Amino acid sequence: MDTPLATSVIRALLRHTPRTPSRYHRQFHTPSSARLRYTPVRRYQDNWDNNNPRFRQASSPPLAKKKKEVPGSLSTLFVRDDIKDAQAQGEWFPKNPFLQIDMSEEMRRFPMVTAQDLARRRERPRRVKMLVRDYIDDALYNQHYGYFSKHAVIFETSSPFDFPSMRDELDFHDRLADEYTRFEDALDAANPDGPNHLRQLWHTPTELFKPYYGEAIARYLVANYKLSMYPYKDLIIYEMGAGNGTMMRNILDYIRDNEPDVYARTRYRVIEISSHLAQLQQKQVENAHVDKIEVINKSIFDWDIYVPEECFFLALEVLDNFAHDMIRYDPDTEQPLQGVVLCDRDGDMYDVYTAELDPVAERFLKLRSRVVEAPYYHPLGMPKVLRKLRAMLPGNGNLTEPEYIPTKAMLFFDVLREWFPGHKLVMSDFSELPEAVEGVNGPVVQTRYNRKTVPVTTPFVQQGYFDILFPTDFDVINDLYKALTGKLTRVMKHDDFMERWAYLEQTQTRSGENPLLTWYKNVSMLSSV
């Protein structure tokens, strides 16, 4: 039953201008001028006004934009004449005074569920409510209908690109497009049901620049291993979310061919949540490095094995798909309200806000206010008087724009501290993303239909058919990681890291342009010691 429904949904989305079929973006995203840099004020987490209504409800964009929304997602809300009366009489009111539906009865009656509660469900949830982070976890990772379990395919080439033979970066782009076409043609030819119009295909720097990208990571690992551990300890590498297993193979090939003494002491362990990808990675083990690799098919958040040894932990392009919580603020009291997703009997979704923060979100806000020193984007960034003036403008809501906070990243750092005390982290991800949905640190939400990328304007979409990926504020993440683990860190841009550890002549075109340096300008890397 998924295919006809999903097909109608995707066709509706084609009102948007198609984009290049890529999960990764090279452009910089310029934040809205309203998203001012915010120096944390430590009062609002601890001095909340309990007299405010308990629940607050969000709304869709105005009716003029209704046609661009996804059928089955956030519903249009209707007019209430007097917001003050609603505030006095009820437990909720909308962020937009012009649009609303009364969802207080559903908020009271629907059971609260988590992504773990839904993990074994074969059908998408209805008549329930859940935190936004649980909705995102379920949409991406549910083993029956989640995005990574059902539709996602990682692009790969049969052989590395020959960059020195290319004219320039545009030539590389053209060859990549040809490889995309050949790759999907082969998949469609092997599919007994014919072309798959809903295939979710994306690429990673590991695949585009193999083996050179993996070899740069390998040089970093070997150099740091020799500085502090060799020859007394083994080189133990953990990789979370290893995709097709290309990074694993490239790293081990490099160490075997160039550092045989280190290779003899190397052990490589993959932590993979997707059963499908774990099977692909296991096939890599069958072809090479049989005695070096172990694939562990489980979520990092279910990890329960204590690892006392010093080790390197690779988390490359994984934080972007970690679930976030959604917070809005009362512009007057600065009270944070947490987003809850209501799924009605038809599968339509509504985001409603409660002043009762769950312990994870509350802990994140308090921890951020205490340990993050650098200014960061925040809905309360502008002065209070300007917020009041802005709220008086026609069409503006009585809550701030949403802020997406990386609560699962915080829990990931807890796992590293508790179970991997001797780890050295190597993490990379997007510091900025274009075409994101409304909000501070808002995600890019997109799907593919008929080999074309289709972005949408809300995260509340048909589960399993849409990628939801977030930018990472490395100023915030760096301070949180240091506070939670006690590690010393270094943050650098992707091209700076590659200039230090890659052999750039291997990826340089005849014109002197180097896609390895220019294609991921919006990626940063964090490493610890």
Side-chain angles (χ1 to χ4, degrees):
M1 295 184 60
D2 284 345
T3 303
L5 173 61
T7 301
S8 64
V9 170
I10 305 303
R11 285 175 177 168
L13 292 176
L14 288 180
R15 295 186 180 94
H16 295 267
T17 303
R19 299 293 190 269
T20 303
S22 171
R23 177 169 177 254
Y24 293 89
H25 301 268
R26 293 179 287 124
Q27 303 93 332
F28 280 111
H29 172 52
T30 303
S32 166
S33 59
R35 299 180 193 171
L36 304 178
R37 279 285 176 178
Y38 177 77
T39 301
V41 179
R42 288 166 169 73
R43 67 178 184 275
Y44 66 83
Q45 280 90 355
D46 299 317
N47 299 318
W48 298 328
D49 181 4
N50 292 325
N51 294 321
N52 276 279
R54 180 180 176 187
F55 299 120
R56 313 213 178 169
Q57 181 174 345
S59 68
S60 290
L63 293 178
K65 297 183 179 180
K66 173 65 177 174
K67 291 184 179 180
K68 292 188 177 181
E69 296 301 327
V70 183
S73 67
L74 193 63
S75 295
T76 304
L77 308 180
F78 300 102
V79 176
R80 169 169 287 184
D81 294 330
D82 192 342
I83 293 300
K84 292 184 179 179
D85 288 346
Q87 184 174 356
Q89 298 173 6
E91 291 189 322
W92 64 277
F93 60 87
K95 76 176 182 68
N96 192 313
F98 297 97
L99 305 167
Q100 79 176 47
I101 284 178
D102 187 341
M103 300 299 293
S104 56
E105 176 64 20
E106 288 82 354
M107 187 70 177
R108 181 190 64 81
R109 180 165 47 87
F110 287 175
M112 178 70 82
V113 298
T114 67
Q116 188 174 6
D117 296 332
L118 301 172
R120 296 184 179 181
R121 287 184 58 128
R122 294 182 176 272
E123 297 180 353
R124 294 169 178 82
R126 299 188 179 192
R127 295 179 177 174
V128 297
K129 62 189 177 187
M130 68 190 87
L131 298 176
V132 171
R133 73 168 181 268
D134 286 305
Y135 159 77
I136 294 173
D137 257 341
D138 182 60
L140 293 179
Y141 300 110
N142 183 283
Q143 60 181 326
H144 298 294
Y145 53 77
Y147 177 83
F148 288 105
S149 304
K150 190 173 180 64
H151 293 289
V153 178
I154 303 175
F155 167 81
E156 61 178 333
T157 59
S158 57
S159 60
F161 285 107
D162 184 7
F163 291 95
S165 71
M166 297 179 186
R167 182 183 63 257
D168 51 23
E169 188 175 324
L170 182 60
D171 189 13
F172 169 60
H173 188 279
D174 292 340
R175 296 196 194 187
L176 175 59
D178 292 340
E179 286 293 327
Y180 250 88
T181 301
R182 282 193 286 270
F183 183 78
E184 291 209 78
D185 286 346
L187 291 178
D188 286 340
N191 186 2
D193 298 325
N196 181 0
H197 298 295
L198 296 174
R199 180 183 297 115
Q200 302 300 306
L201 180 66
W202 37 267
H203 58 256
T204 69
T206 300
E207 297 292 348
L208 291 190
F209 302 106
K210 67 181 181 184
Y212 316 117
Y213 186 85
E215 290 175 354
I217 300 294
R219 292 186 193 98
Y220 172 87
L221 297 176
V222 171
N224 284 272
Y225 167 67
K226 286 185 172 181
L227 280 175
S228 59
M229 291 181 274
Y230 180 79
Y232 306 106
K233 299 177 182 179
D234 289 342
L235 171 57
I236 303 173
I237 304 169
Y238 283 84
E239 183 183 1
M240 179 174 62
N244 290 334
T246 303
M247 172 66 71
M248 169 182 65
R249 185 178 68 248
N250 293 161
I251 288 177
L252 290 175
D253 285 350
Y254 176 85
I255 298 176
R256 179 196 59 199
D257 297 342
N258 297 276
E259 302 283 350
D261 293 338
V262 173
Y263 182 76
R265 305 203 61 169
T266 298
R267 289 182 280 164
Y268 204 107
R269 296 165 184 162
V270 172
I271 305 172
E272 178 58 61
I273 188 174
S274 168
S275 298
H276 168 67
L277 292 176
Q279 292 174 3
L280 291 179
Q281 295 153 13
Q282 195 64 46
K283 290 181 179 178
Q284 301 280 8
V285 178
E286 296 171 359
N287 297 328
H289 313 294
V290 177
D291 58 336
K292 298 294 182 182
I293 301 172
E294 180 183 2
V295 178
I296 305 167
N297 184 198
K298 68 188 307 180
S299 168
I300 186 63
F301 299 104
D302 296 329
W303 192 264
D304 57 358
I305 303 172
Y306 187 73
V307 181
E309 301 94 349
E310 290 188 63
C311 62
F312 291 90
F313 199 105
L314 305 182
L316 307 175
E317 296 90 43
V318 294
L319 256 67
D320 58 336
N321 286 126
F322 276 2
H324 287 50
D325 275 294
M326 188 163 69
I327 304 291
R328 290 184 189 266
Y329 299 84
D330 185 308
D332 295 326
T333 67
E334 301 186 355
Q335 179 186 25
L337 300 105
Q338 186 169 6
V340 175
V341 180
L342 298 180
C343 300
D344 69 11
R345 64 181 182 179
D346 298 318
D348 290 344
M349 284 168 276
Y350 306 81
D351 55 319
V352 178
Y353 294 83
T354 173
E356 294 183 0
L357 302 187
D358 90 299
V360 174
E362 183 176 17
R363 178 190 172 213
F364 176 88
L365 293 177
K366 289 183 176 181
L367 185 63
R368 182 177 65 176
S369 72
R370 292 167 182 166
V371 305
V372 175
E373 299 180 354
Y376 51 87
Y377 292 117
H378 195 282
L380 298 176
M382 65 176 59
K384 191 171 184 178
V385 64
L386 295 181
R387 296 201 301 268
K388 288 185 176 181
L389 292 174
R390 188 180 182 187
M392 296 170 62
L393 296 175
N396 277 291
N398 58 323
L399 296 180
T400 67
E401 65 175 338
E403 178 190 20
Y404 296 86
I405 58 174
T407 43
K408 294 290 279 192
M410 177 185 69
L411 297 178
F412 168 56
F413 297 153
D414 287 341
V415 172
L416 292 180
R417 180 190 68 247
E418 295 297 326
W419 299 105
F420 299 87
H423 78 276
K424 302 176 188 295
L425 181 63
V426 181
M427 185 186 83
S428 70
D429 233 305
F430 301 103
S431 55
E432 300 172 88
L433 286 171
E435 298 180 340
V437 305
E438 177 203 16
V440 175
N441 294 326
V444 170
V445 185
Q446 61 188 19
T447 188
R448 290 182 83 238
Y449 178 72
N450 200 21
R451 303 191 182 187
K452 295 179 180 178
T453 299
V454 185
V456 298
T457 57
T458 173
F460 306 114
V461 289
Q462 179 85 340
Q463 298 97 321
Y465 292 98
F466 294 81
D467 193 4
I468 305 173
L469 61 154
F470 292 86
T472 297
D473 188 329
F474 275 81
D475 289 337
V476 172
I477 288 296
N478 185 39
D479 285 345
L480 284 177
Y481 173 77
K482 289 189 294 185
L484 290 172
T485 65
K487 302 284 185 179
L488 298 176
T489 63
R490 181 175 186 177
V491 176
M492 56 198 313
K493 299 298 291 183
H494 172 269
D495 53 343
D496 292 334
F497 184 93
M498 289 299 152
E499 284 180 345
R500 175 168 296 192
W501 298 105
Y503 291 163
L504 296 181
E505 64 274 9
Q506 296 173 326
T507 55
Q508 183 170 297
T509 64
R510 296 199 307 271
S511 68
E513 295 176 318
N514 197 319
L516 179 62
L517 302 180
T518 59
W519 270 53
Y520 290 95
K521 286 286 189 179
N522 58 337
V523 169
S524 294
M525 303 191 72
L526 182 152
S527 57
S528 67
V529 297

